[in-house]
Amino acid sequence: MESRQLLYTGLKEKGFNLTDEQIYSLMEYMNLVLEENKKFNLTAIEEENEFINKHFIDSILMYDNSQEEMLVADMGTGGGFPGIPLKIVHPNWKMTFIDSTEKKLKFIEAACKKLGIENVEFVHSRAEDVGRADEHREKYDLVFSRAVASMNVLSEYCLPLTRLGGKFIASKGPKYQEELEDAKKAIEVLGGKVDNITEIMMPYEDIVRYLVICKKIKKTPLKYPRRQGVPSKKPL
Ligand code: SAM
């Protein structure tokens, strides 16, 4: 199947009816990433159909297709995943892309300009610092993260950014239960509660993703996140 068609059909099957404009933006974004990838490593996935499935469909299925206005962050966005595909499908969202590698953020920023994607912000920072900054702390309705750290560490990166009543959504593989077991204390201490685990069956492949959805039920104590490197060296 042609890649454009693969994208459209795979998402339609899951209840997303993308417009021609959205499909165009996604395909253009893929071209930009693959072009940049020749100079600077943004992704290990270079085959188009695999890119569509593992980067686009996988990212978009991290949320439903509701179109509410929301403040959203993508922690450790790397080459723009899941943030860029989610932003294209939810134009009403204000999306903040956070990563500790400036070069990656510069690329995403330039790509957003080329594609006319507005209402975006780029924060070059480590999670441990951005989580302490007044303008970001407990401000986001939704905080997404994929392939950044195990749940115990990731909770300290993402829950401080999540507003009371908001959600932190992590995409995980089949070992999510072990990760969650190790993260129980961290989630509680940081003011979260596991709200739901959603199983997502990927189209075209025999792969299941697990979305671990944590709700923010209490404020995060001021001593978190701890300083740079501590969350990963000494997970809560
Ligand atoms: N989320 C993307 C994806 O799913 O393709 C990228 C995943 S990549 C393996 C992990 C990214 O997280 C890298 O771009 C890295 O710079 C970023 N990262 C790791 N630790 C971080 C931290 N403490 N604060 C901010 N970014 C971090």
Side-chain angles (χ1 to χ4, degrees):
M1 207 189 289
E2 196 209 337
S3 359
R4 187 178 293 267
Q5 192 60 36
L6 191 87
L7 176 61
Y8 180 76
T9 311
L11 287 168
K12 178 127 197 191
E13 204 176 279
K14 298 283 181 185
F16 290 82
N17 203 357
L18 263 58
T19 62
D20 287 348
E21 213 174 291
Q22 287 169 324
I23 298 276
Y24 174 83
S25 296
L26 287 163
M27 298 303 286
E28 280 300 296
Y29 188 69
M30 175 171 74
N31 293 337
L32 292 171
V33 172
L34 293 179
E35 194 52 39
E36 183 74 7
N37 220 34
K38 292 179 188 157
K39 299 176 264 165
F40 169 58
N41 185 34
L42 284 168
T43 176
I45 299 171
E46 295 193 305
E47 198 276 311
E48 288 197 3
N49 287 357
E50 192 184 359
F51 194 109
I52 282 176
N53 214 21
K54 299 221 171 103
H55 282 324
F56 288 161
I57 297 181
D58 190 76
S59 296
I60 291 166
L61 294 183
M62 285 186 74
Y63 204 72
D64 63 28
N65 58 7
S66 61
Q67 293 296 328
E68 249 175 280
E69 274 183 35
M70 281 197 271
L71 276 185
V72 181
D74 178 11
M75 171 54 72
T77 185
F81 306 108
I84 289 281
L86 282 169
K87 169 67 190 162
I88 291 173
V89 172
H90 302 272
N92 283 344
W93 287 2
K94 171 159 190 238
M95 178 72 75
T96 298
F97 296 87
I98 304 165
D99 205 285
S100 53
T101 308
E102 192 171 19
K103 223 170 158 184
K104 294 183 183 177
L105 281 177
K106 289 258 182 257
F107 163 76
I108 308 175
E109 187 170 5
C112 283
K113 280 210 180 91
K114 276 191 195 140
L115 297 174
I117 298 174
E118 289 173 349
N119 225 0
V120 281
E121 183 187 13
F122 304 90
V123 179
H124 169 224
S125 174
R126 286 192 61 106
E128 297 91 320
D129 298 324
V130 76
R132 291 187 160 272
D134 282 348
E135 65 271 39
H136 298 287
R137 189 178 174 88
E138 300 193 318
K139 290 286 186 289
Y140 295 92
D141 299 304
L142 300 174
V143 180
F144 288 94
S145 195
R146 187 186 85 159
V148 173
S150 56
M151 270 312 284
N152 48 5
V153 178
L154 198 60
S155 300
E156 194 166 347
Y157 290 171
C158 296
L159 279 167
L161 296 171
T162 313
R163 71 156 171 86
L164 267 182
K167 286 175 181 167
F168 149 46
I169 302 176
S171 174
K172 291 285 165 192
K175 291 198 173 149
Y176 78 94
Q177 273 162 325
E178 277 166 50
E179 278 196 40
L180 255 185
E181 197 51 42
D182 291 343
K184 260 190 190 161
K185 180 179 159 223
I187 295 171
E188 196 198 322
V189 165
L190 295 158
K193 178 179 176 286
V194 178
D195 193 40
N196 198 1
I197 312 281
T198 308
E199 251 186 65
I200 306 279
M201 193 69 202
M202 292 290 294
Y204 309 122
E205 276 178 306
D206 223 3
I207 297 179
V208 184
R209 291 271 182 262
Y210 298 89
L211 299 181
V212 178
I213 305 173
C214 296
K215 191 162 181 183
K216 185 80 174 265
I217 55 167
K218 278 186 295 184
K219 286 203 150 209
T220 298
L222 286 176
K223 61 180 176 183
Y224 303 113
R226 292 166 292 168
R227 64 188 162 75
Q228 284 194 16
V230 180
S232 58
K233 276 191 209 107
K234 291 186 183 165
L236 286 168

